[in-house]
Amino acid sequence: MEKQMKYRVVEMSTLWSTTFNAKDIKRINDDRNTEHPIFQNFTEKLSLVNEKAPNTNAILLSTDVMNEDEIFILATSKSHKKIGLLPFSYHEAVKVYLDGYKKAISSKKVIATEVYEDKYGTWISAFVPILKDNVVAGVISFDINAHLIREYRNKMSAYLIALLLLMTVSGYLILKRGLKKVLYPVNEIIVGFNEVSNGNFNVKLKSPNQADLGILAERFNNMTSQLSLLFDRLSATSVEFGTTHKNAVSMHRFEEAIDEMEQILHKTKILRELQRAEKMNAIGQLAASVAHEIRNPMTVVKGFLQIFLAKDQMSDEERMYIRLMIEEMSRAETIINDYLSLAKPDIEHTEKVDAAETASKVLDLMNSYAMMSKNIMVVPTLNEGVFIQGNISELKQVLINILKNGIEAMKVGGTLSISVYKDEKYGVFEISDTGIGMSAEELERLGTAFYSLKEKGTGIGLMVCYQIIERMKGKIEVQSQNGKGTTFKIFIPLVDDHAE
């Protein structure tokens, strides 16, 4: 209805505007004489609009004189005079009307407003600018009474509200009945869950007619069977570990089961630590035996080989063989030294260690090896003021071992970075390489005895590193990915200044 009324008022205003001459409008605006024949002619035309088109009004407006919230009327119909709209006078208008009037002047086009209200009623207005030499001489305002839209709107609102209330009441009654039928199996499932939470795993649900709820009931029954089996096994495991008595009733409460699992895990952890301690003890005894029985004869053999190497009467081929033997003897000595570290750990001497200074000294040793062996770039980031509690010689051994492993993991060069920083109560050495990396399975076995990814490695060196850091009450974390490299993070407790 609003679109139709806007179309009608635009069409009417465009048609009637052709009867007004811009030159005459300018003359009326200049003279402002109600006795002028042209003014009388305009008044008759505007009155004729109101007679020919019921529920419409037409006014001729000026563009020259306009206060901020008012319009200046040049001519009106006779009926307008009855309501106080007089020619050559200001009239206060509402904002929608003023916006349409100003827009018509600025755009020089016919403009129609939306539905608006003023003290005279509900209207839609159209503004037609009268042009002369592309200059607006005046504006014809056509208003059409839009009270029918308001009445129609009120009636439709009442109908819609009544319909909505009817649908709401009907929907409530239907949903109440339907939900009662649908939620019955849901309530049964809730009761079943309550029984399970109380330890009754023998509860079984009937399969309802609904397909989805039927699947849920089937899976619930399967869950209770699995839980019953799990708790029976947990009870048997508890008896085996000795955490409960053999004649105790099977656990059928989640709190009891969780407590029991924590006890089992704790006992399993203790057993694992005992096994590890026994293994380390056996390795230590073996290391001591190897050191005493093999080290001395190896030292003698290596010494004689070095004497032979110094002779001048040897060929190049013989010298090469002797050098190889000396290198292998040196490698065997390194392995023996690793075993000795396991057999006789230096756990007594700890001191305040400057982490950045220690890392810097180790890098001085490793830099030339990294550059000359594989053209590897070493990037240090050593933050000052990180002081840790540990054994400086053993710490250097750990850093050298891990840096050497990183260098050897990069087959065709790369970047080796080492950082020193604080992380809460720890000082951290972070060593990263861009080497071949490791898989998740290889990471899991890292640091165990006799496991190595090197062709000639024994796995003892890294195991010694783990043991040294554990003795310092620290930890080692490793992150790696095949083909992208590995990062070692060595955490060592910071110096306790208060205790010191």
Side-chain angles (χ1 to χ4, degrees), residues 348-354 387-393 493 495:
E348 299 295 332
H349 179 65
T350 60
E351 57 187 313
K352 181 178 180 180
V353 179
D354 187 334
F387 295 98
I388 57 178
Q389 189 74 31
N391 186 302
I392 189 167
S393 61
V495 170

Side-chain angles (χ1 to χ4, degrees), residues 63-78:
T63 61
D64 295 336
V65 182
M66 181 180 68
N67 292 339
E68 185 178 353
D69 295 327
E70 295 179 335
I71 54 175
F72 189 76
I73 301 173
L74 291 178
T76 62
S77 66
K78 297 175 181 179

Side-chain angles (χ1 to χ4, degrees), residues 127-249:
F127 300 93
V128 183
I130 309 299
L131 304 177
K132 180 183 180 183
D133 299 329
N134 204 32
V135 177
V136 180
V139 178
I140 303 295
S141 170
F142 277 77
D143 309 325
I144 187 168
N145 195 334
H147 71 280
L148 291 176
I149 294 179
R150 181 56 53 87
E151 292 179 5
Y152 180 76
R153 203 176 274 168
N154 293 338
K155 287 181 181 179
M156 287 301 297
S157 299
Y159 291 149
L160 288 173
I161 291 171
L163 181 61
L164 179 62
L165 289 173
L166 180 61
M167 290 175 63
T168 302
V169 173
S170 302
Y172 171 76
L173 295 175
I174 294 171
L175 284 174
K176 184 179 179 181
R177 183 176 179 183
L179 285 173
K180 186 176 181 181
K181 182 178 180 181
V182 171
L183 292 178
Y184 175 76
V186 175
N187 292 331
E188 187 180 357
I189 291 172
I190 293 172
V191 171
F193 275 111
N194 290 333
E195 289 293 320
V196 169
S197 65
N198 291 327
N200 180 15
F201 301 135
N202 296 320
V203 61
K204 298 295 180 184
L205 300 181
K206 297 178 182 178
S207 296
N209 296 328
Q210 295 94 325
D212 294 339
L213 291 177
I215 295 173
L216 180 59
E218 181 181 347
R219 292 184 178 177
F220 177 86
N221 294 336
N222 184 47
M223 179 193 72
T224 55
S225 300
Q226 294 294 329
L227 282 174
S228 179
L229 180 62
L230 173 64
F231 275 52
D232 289 341
R233 289 180 178 176
L234 181 60
S235 298
T237 305
S238 301
V239 172
E240 184 177 347
F241 272 92
T243 54
T244 57
H245 300 292
K246 292 185 178 182
N247 57 353
V249 181

Side-chain angles (χ1 to χ4, degrees), residues 455-473:
E455 186 177 348
K456 295 183 180 181
T458 62
I460 297 299
L462 200 54
M463 186 176 70
V464 170
C465 293
Y466 274 83
Q467 188 178 18
I468 288 172
I469 299 303
E470 283 181 7
R471 288 201 300 268
M472 295 183 191
K473 299 180 181 179

Side-chain angles (χ1 to χ4, degrees), residues 30-188:
D30 293 339
D31 293 345
R32 297 188 183 180
N33 183 5
T34 56
E35 302 299 328
H36 198 287
I38 296 176
F39 175 80
Q40 298 292 336
N41 184 29
F42 282 173
T43 302
E44 292 296 329
K45 286 181 180 179
L46 294 172
S47 300
L48 186 61
V49 171
N50 296 345
E51 292 176 6
K52 296 293 183 180
N55 295 319
T56 60
N57 295 319
I59 304 175
L60 176 60
L61 303 175
S62 171
T63 61
D64 295 336
V65 182
M66 181 180 68
N67 292 339
E68 185 178 353
D69 295 327
E70 295 179 335
I71 54 175
F72 189 76
I73 301 173
L74 291 178
T76 62
S77 66
K78 297 175 181 179
S79 60
H80 278 96
K81 296 178 182 179
K82 298 177 182 178
I83 59 174
L85 294 176
L86 302 176
F88 306 124
S89 66
Y90 286 102
H91 172 66
E92 187 177 350
V94 296
K95 185 177 184 303
V96 176
Y97 189 91
L98 283 170
D99 290 343
Y101 167 70
K102 294 175 183 178
K103 190 174 180 181
I105 294 174
S106 61
S107 65
K108 301 177 183 178
K109 295 179 181 178
V110 179
I111 300 297
T113 68
E114 304 296 327
V115 177
Y116 69 91
E117 288 187 4
D118 62 11
K119 60 184 179 181
Y120 303 111
T122 304
W123 308 93
I124 295 177
S125 298
F127 300 93
V128 183
I130 309 299
L131 304 177
K132 180 183 180 183
D133 299 329
N134 204 32
V135 177
V136 180
V139 178
I140 303 295
S141 170
F142 277 77
D143 309 325
I144 187 168
N145 195 334
H147 71 280
L148 291 176
I149 294 179
R150 181 56 53 87
E151 292 179 5
Y152 180 76
R153 203 176 274 168
N154 293 338
K155 287 181 181 179
M156 287 301 297
S157 299
Y159 291 149
L160 288 173
I161 291 171
L163 181 61
L164 179 62
L165 289 173
L166 180 61
M167 290 175 63
T168 302
V169 173
S170 302
Y172 171 76
L173 295 175
I174 294 171
L175 284 174
K176 184 179 179 181
R177 183 176 179 183
L179 285 173
K180 186 176 181 181
K181 182 178 180 181
V182 171
L183 292 178
Y184 175 76
V186 175
N187 292 331
E188 187 180 357

